Amino acid sequence: MTDTTRQGARGGQHHGGESCSRPSGQRWRIVPPRGPETGRATLHRLRTGLALFAGRLATNTSKRLGLGSGGIIGGRVALALQPELLGELVSDKRVVVITGTNGKTTTTHMVAETLRAAGEAVSNATGANMLDGHVAALMTRPRADFAALEVDELHLAQLTERFQPAVLLLLNLSRDQLDRVGEIRSVEASIRQALAKAPRSRVIANADDPNIVSAAFDHPDVVWVSGGCRWKHDALNCPRCGAFLEEVDGEWKCVCGLRRPRPDWTVDDTGLIAPDGSHEELSLPLPGQINRVNATFALAASTALDVAPRAALERVRAVQEANGRYEHTVLAGRTVRLLLAKNPASWLEMLDLVADNTRPLVLVVNSREADGHDVSWLWDIDFERLAGRTVLVTGERALDLAVRLRYAEVPCEVTSDVQQALHSASITGSDQPAEVIANYTAFRDLFAKRQRQ
Amino acid sequence: MTEAPLTDESTVRIALVVPDLLGTYGDRGNALVLAQRLRWRGYRAEIVTVLSSAESLPESCDIYLLGGGEDVAQQAAVSFLRRGNGLRRAVDSGTAVLGVCGGLQVLGTRFTTGDGKHHAGLGLVDIETRPGADRAIGELGTRSELPGIGVLTGFENHLGRSEVGDDARPLGRVLHGTGNGADGVEGGVTGRVVCTYLHGPVLARNPALADTVLSWAVGAPLDGLPDFPELERLRAERTRVRG
């Protein structure tokens, strides 16, 4: 079918768009038919609109029924109606994607804060870190300038199949939930494949973690961050060839050529050294070297997106907690600090944090789907260093933990839940805050409980 | 090894064999359990960690422990352990060896990796492993065929399916879970070489097996240790769990 119309802006805009330029003086033009392309585009737009509407409806309904924040269900509904929604929602945004075994949520929080120095930023702040969670988060602020998205290590490839983020942060890789996630080699290979699909992204990666370096080594645009690496047991051997690495405590290298890259950003005891050689003091409300490293990743990300460094630094210094992590709060009438530890590397970091005080300790371990059903990793942790502390254990796997502590000769009391632990006679005499270290679902439940209070 | 029972003054040396290659599932825990159960009885115990960067495996240890690892790591472990052949000599002289998961496959005669390639194992136990259709993951319970051990409990996570040959016998019969994935049995034993898919770690959950291995190393039956209630309760809880 062919149609003609009189010269006019309306017709041109409607059907032809910019591609139909007319010689001057021509009083008429041929308007292309409303062919299958245009029809499909309209359908696509309608479908996107419908998906957003249905997704928001699902979110609101879920919230109203008290089924949670509604984040994931809204994203799932919207994605089911429009599988290409993620790519569309990020098309006009500069996106920072954060992945790694530990520190994703905290770093995502920091990245979002630094970006807010330059514009509106949206993020999947609740840790729903697969595609439906990303869509759900992006739907809440469709007009934001930036997005900071935490992504599960094994879902990065799904994400880079759909779009190339402006910046991609690779924090660290260590053993975690082996019955669900699998072994580190396969995770590293999956991240490497994901990066191959995002050659235009700026990658910011950990120079001290051989597994991360192996994943990022072949990418054309990598900025390297160094802040040390406490947990070494998953990186004594080369991720690529299996040979024993030389000098694992510093300038590590392998006979096959894989080696520690020269870092662009370094964070040590004195502070932060930026790529231009400038030095900044870096004291944060969040404790530990690990959070100084996380903050450095956030600053490197915001620098890549031209956020003013001074403003970004101020923002990152203002972060007090991230989704309950490191937060001082009141549980069962007692002041506690909530710490998340879900694998040997993060337990090592958290035990470092509590080593400099004598507060009562409550340790909580569950083994649900999201935690992994296998808790053998409890034996990779040096609980021997808790000797002399008052320790209470609870959670679904309290007995595994109690046996581990018995062999470490750390006396402990098994309690039915955290409430009972915090009221135990062994700690009611102390007026110090208690340290509560919990693994993933245990932490999540405690955080929800304290929010309801 | 020495035939005479060790005195309290002697040190029992427990080798943690290439944990950088085979040590994925809290396998170090087996060494901690053995050392502590010796100390509680008044023996001196030392954990000797042998990384794959070592020249070769020291032959002076009383117990050798091998844990789990990935395909590539297993092959690297085999080539390390072939060097000097110390493990073979230790086994020939009656030293106790425990291999868990990947350790089972390494100690066996042959294993086929996920890519379909065949690899010779160390051949210290007559057991051969091929990849299964899917990973066996979950709680595993067996009744041991070794005297005085009873029910064994642990967690399994492996792709391999293993067949026990004529020169070995199974460690146990499967009560629930997959185990070797053939003939309803789990693990394999030849002399004082014990192989199993159970981790948790296996000796933390099963003190009777730990004490059997220790009595082999010490060369005499061991005094009983007072049970601690958390361990009793843990065993009861875990043997109830399915899946």
Side-chain angles (χ1 to χ4, degrees):
Chain A
M1 191 182 86
T2 312
D3 193 12
T4 58
T5 185
R6 290 170 67 90
Q7 170 189 357
R10 267 187 81 195
Q13 273 183 358
H14 247 84
H15 300 290
E18 293 164 1
S19 58
C20 297
S21 60
R22 285 168 285 120
S24 60
Q26 186 179 316
R27 299 204 41 183
W28 56 270
R29 68 187 181 89
I30 295 170
V31 175
R34 242 179 189 278
E37 281 309 311
T38 315
R40 204 173 295 150
T42 309
L43 198 62
H44 190 94
R45 201 171 52 244
L46 286 173
R47 197 166 169 179
T48 299
L50 178 69
L52 287 170
F53 174 77
R56 288 191 183 113
L57 186 70
T59 302
N60 292 337
T61 309
S62 167
K63 268 187 198 160
R64 213 170 299 130
L65 295 174
L67 299 173
S69 66
I72 294 180
I73 184 69
R76 202 167 290 168
V77 166
L79 261 184
L81 291 167
Q82 174 54 288
E84 291 163 43
L85 191 57
L86 184 60
E88 296 196 9
L89 286 169
V90 298
S91 62
D92 58 347
K93 284 182 194 18
R94 285 183 289 171
V95 181
V96 180
V97 163
I98 298 97
T99 197
T101 306
N102 292 319
K104 289 190 286 289
T105 300
T106 302
T107 308
T108 301
H109 200 89
M110 289 174 165
V111 168
E113 278 306 307
T114 58
L115 295 176
R116 282 180 189 126
E120 191 185 351
V122 62
S123 105
N124 52 339
T126 60
N129 64 10
M130 300 181 198
L131 296 188
D132 40 15
H134 300 142
V135 166
L138 291 163
M139 283 190 324
T140 61
R141 299 267 186 84
R143 274 180 287 280
D145 309 294
F146 300 103
L149 299 178
E150 158 183 349
V151 60
D152 179 81
E153 304 87 282
L154 283 180
H155 286 75
L156 184 66
Q158 277 188 25
L159 195 131
T160 56
E161 256 165 35
R162 286 162 173 83
F163 73 101
Q164 298 193 34
V167 181
L168 235 155
L169 303 192
L170 304 180
L171 302 176
N172 50 63
L173 272 184
S174 66
R175 60 186 68 183
D176 183 38
Q177 300 181 39
L178 292 162
D179 56 315
R180 183 185 78 85
V181 179
E183 286 147 345
I184 296 161
R185 289 295 144 76
S186 59
V187 181
E188 187 262 313
S190 157
I191 293 178
R192 210 191 303 178
Q193 283 159 16
L195 294 195
K197 283 179 236 149
R200 292 201 304 278
S201 297
R202 162 76 50 91
V203 173
I204 300 174
N206 190 336
D208 297 325
D209 186 326
N211 288 299
I212 288 291
V213 172
S214 176
F217 209 66
D218 304 325
H219 193 279
D221 184 5
V222 187
V223 169
W224 299 101
V225 173
S226 166
C229 196
R230 278 283 276 135
W231 173 260
K232 301 223 179 281
H233 297 282
D234 293 311
L236 294 172
N237 301 80
C238 176
R240 296 221 167 168
C241 76
F244 202 81
L245 293 176
E246 295 167 46
E247 295 174 63
V248 286
D249 288 321
E251 292 286 333
W252 60 268
K253 58 176 187 264
C254 179
V255 286
C256 76
L258 193 74
R259 59 185 303 134
R260 178 177 180 265
R262 207 167 56 83
D264 302 287
W265 296 76
T266 301
V267 55
D268 59 19
D269 296 343
T270 69
L272 174 72
I273 303 156
D276 61 4
S278 63
H279 185 277
E280 284 290 343
E281 190 264 341
L282 188 65
S283 57
L284 302 171
L286 294 188
Q289 172 68 3
I290 189 67
N291 281 313
R292 288 149 51 83
V293 176
N294 292 339
T296 304
F297 269 98
L299 293 170
S302 56
T303 301
L305 295 179
D306 303 320
V307 178
R310 183 71 33 201
L313 191 59
E314 272 170 33
R315 291 265 174 170
V316 94
R317 278 185 183 140
V319 174
Q320 304 271 349
E321 56 88 33
N323 224 18
R325 290 144 176 87
Y326 310 104
E327 187 184 54
H328 276 90
T329 185
V330 175
L331 276 178
R334 189 180 179 113
T335 303
V336 302
R337 177 164 68 162
L338 288 180
L339 299 170
L340 170 70
K342 53 195 172 82
N343 50 47
S346 56
W347 274 92
L348 178 62
E349 301 287 354
M350 294 310 124
L351 292 182
D352 280 352
L353 288 187
V354 302
D356 62 356
N357 65 50
T358 55
R359 295 171 174 185
L361 266 177
V362 180
L363 310 180
V364 200
V365 173
N366 281 351
S367 64
R368 291 179 215 166
E369 184 80 35
D371 303 306
H373 299 302
D374 182 11
V375 296
S376 302
W377 51 266
L378 288 173
W379 292 80
D380 287 325
I381 300 162
D382 279 321
F383 285 109
E384 284 77 3
R385 56 199 289 211
L386 296 181
R389 298 287 289 254
T390 305
V391 180
L392 297 118
V393 302
T394 187
E396 292 158 0
R397 302 307 287 270
L399 294 171
D400 293 84
L401 197 49
V403 169
R404 171 71 189 97
L405 291 172
R406 178 72 78 145
Y407 276 103
E409 300 197 309
V410 176
C412 75
E413 183 186 338
V414 180
T415 63
S416 59
D417 56 28
V418 172
Q419 171 125 355
Q420 196 196 39
L422 292 171
H423 288 151
S424 161
S426 61
I427 67 167
T428 45
S430 156
D431 54 5
Q432 296 193 81
E435 304 275 21
V436 178
I437 310 182
N439 74 339
Y440 187 72
T441 64
F443 183 93
R444 194 187 58 190
D445 292 352
L446 288 173
F447 182 53
K449 199 171 286 174
R450 91 101 178 85
Q451 282 186 313
R452 280 198 301 273
Q453 280 175 355
Chain B
M1 289 310 311
T2 170
E3 287 298 313
L6 297 167
T7 66
D8 287 7
E9 308 310 311
S10 315
T11 299
V12 179
R13 303 181 79 215
I14 301 160
L16 193 53
V17 181
V18 292
D20 52 313
L21 298 171
L22 303 176
T24 316
Y25 298 102
D27 296 303
R28 184 182 75 112
N30 289 319
L32 296 177
V33 167
L34 291 175
Q36 195 58 277
R37 295 185 78 82
L38 284 167
R39 288 188 196 115
W40 283 337
R41 291 177 165 108
Y43 289 92
R44 284 193 305 206
E46 183 192 353
I47 297 173
V48 180
T49 301
V50 185
L51 296 174
S52 67
S53 53
E55 280 291 304
S56 60
L57 190 70
E59 287 173 51
S60 55
C61 295
D62 304 291
I63 302 171
Y64 292 86
L65 301 174
L66 288 79
E70 300 169 58
D71 284 355
V72 177
Q74 270 181 224
Q75 294 160 48
V78 170
S79 49
F80 172 80
L81 291 168
R82 283 250 173 74
R83 230 184 283 156
N85 224 3
L87 194 59
R88 157 72 66 188
R89 281 194 295 279
V91 167
D92 288 345
S93 62
T95 307
V97 179
L98 175 70
V100 178
C101 203
L104 171 150
Q105 301 179 12
V106 165
L107 293 170
T109 48
R110 210 157 92 114
F111 59 93
T112 307
T113 39
D115 56 13
K117 292 200 178 115
H118 304 297
H119 307 272
L122 296 171
L124 299 173
V125 177
D126 189 5
I127 193 163
E128 183 174 339
T129 303
R130 295 186 188 81
D134 52 3
R135 282 189 91 80
I137 302 179
E139 290 288 332
L140 171 61
T142 69
R143 184 171 297 283
S144 180
E145 303 195 335
L146 290 183
I149 289 183
V151 170
L152 290 169
T153 159
F155 194 93
E156 62 180 330
N157 182 354
H158 54 101
L159 182 65
R161 300 294 186 269
S162 302
E163 203 169 326
V164 179
D166 294 339
D167 295 337
R169 57 187 169 134
L171 175 61
R173 304 226 140 251
V174 174
L175 300 172
H176 61 92
T178 302
N180 291 359
D183 310 321
V185 300
E186 198 287 316
V189 183
T190 298
R192 290 176 172 177
V193 183
V194 177
C195 295
T196 181
Y197 278 116
L198 293 159
H199 53 88
V202 61
L203 300 184
R205 285 219 205 158
N206 303 284
L209 182 60
D211 287 350
T212 298
V213 172
L214 285 176
S215 69
W216 291 342
V218 172
L222 294 166
D223 301 334
L225 276 180
D227 287 326
F228 45 98
E230 300 92 339
L231 182 49
E232 293 276 286
R233 284 169 60 197
L234 174 66
R235 282 178 57 76
E237 175 191 282
R238 289 295 110 199
T239 44
R240 275 198 310 270
V241 176
R242 298 286 182 273

